[in-house]
Amino acid sequence: MDNIITYTKKAPVAKTVFGYALVLLGLVLFVTGDIIMGVIMIVLGVGLTTKEGSEINLTSKQYRTIRSVFGITIGNWKSIPAFEYVSVFRTKENQTVRVVTAEATTSSEVILLNLFYNRNKHITFYKTNNKEDAFKVAEHFKLALDIDILDATESEKKWL
């Protein structure tokens, strides 16, 4: 398993496609001479395609909140706080897609891994739909950071 674990929130497909279309339109406008509108379209498109998330480097014991644009990841590394435990829990995630006259919301079940510190503060570091994958990553955190795992995927929580 990698020593750097990355979590980025996935954007709806429609939003991503619209963002790329705006960037392409902006480039065309820029090249054809409408520089101001071209720059505006490019900035809007980049904003729509930007993904946010977290990254933890288990080797150097650092983490960062990241923004990813077209595969380029930026963010400042910070020292890992004294994590107390990793929580693996199941929750629902809603995604809303809006068009001029219509709106649709879909709900899906996801499993999140939060690293807790200072009693109730936490950082979400990983998201998956696969329970086995979630516990594999949680076990990696447990070994690398010497912390316990809280299984909150069922109605009754248990320490592993």
Side-chain angles (χ1 to χ4, degrees):
M1 183 170 279
D2 251 348
N3 285 331
I4 296 180
I5 298 174
T6 304
Y7 156 71
T8 52
K9 183 178 180 184
K10 291 186 180 181
V13 175
K15 180 179 173 183
T16 304
V17 169
F18 188 61
Y20 283 118
L22 284 176
V23 169
L24 185 61
L25 175 63
L27 290 172
V28 169
L29 288 171
F30 190 82
V31 169
T32 59
D34 195 353
I35 296 171
I36 294 173
M37 281 305 292
V39 169
I40 290 172
M41 292 297 146
I42 291 170
V43 168
L44 287 173
V46 167
L48 288 174
T49 58
T50 300
K51 297 178 186 176
E52 296 179 351
S54 303
E55 198 168 58
I56 185 168
N57 186 326
L58 297 173
T59 304
S60 66
K61 305 285 188 192
Q62 294 181 318
Y63 80 98
R64 66 181 178 171
T65 302
I66 60 171
R67 288 183 179 261
S68 179
V69 181
F70 303 121
I72 300 169
T73 303
I74 53 174
N76 295 324
W77 289 101
K78 301 173 189 170
S79 294
I80 291 177
F83 289 120
E84 298 165 6
Y85 64 95
V86 58
S87 172
V88 181
F89 71 99
R90 192 181 310 264
T91 187
K92 294 218 181 264
E93 180 179 61
N94 294 325
Q95 286 188 342
T96 303
V97 177
R98 291 183 182 93
V99 183
V100 176
T101 58
E103 178 178 303
T105 301
T106 59
S107 180
S108 61
E109 195 169 271
V110 295
I111 299 174
L112 297 179
L113 269 71
N114 286 342
L115 289 169
F116 281 83
Y117 63 100
N118 290 346
R119 296 271 184 213
N120 287 326
K121 293 182 180 180
H122 72 276
I123 302 169
T124 300
F125 273 105
Y126 196 72
K127 177 175 75 169
T128 183
N129 295 324
N130 185 321
K131 189 174 179 179
E132 290 175 12
D133 180 43
F135 281 103
K136 184 177 177 183
V137 173
E139 187 66 31
H140 194 207
F141 280 132
K142 176 183 178 176
L143 295 173
L145 302 172
D146 193 29
I147 55 176
D148 293 325
I149 300 172
L150 177 63
D151 180 359
T153 58
E154 305 299 328
S155 58
E156 189 170 322
K157 298 174 185 176
K158 60 184 173 186
W159 292 97
L160 303 178

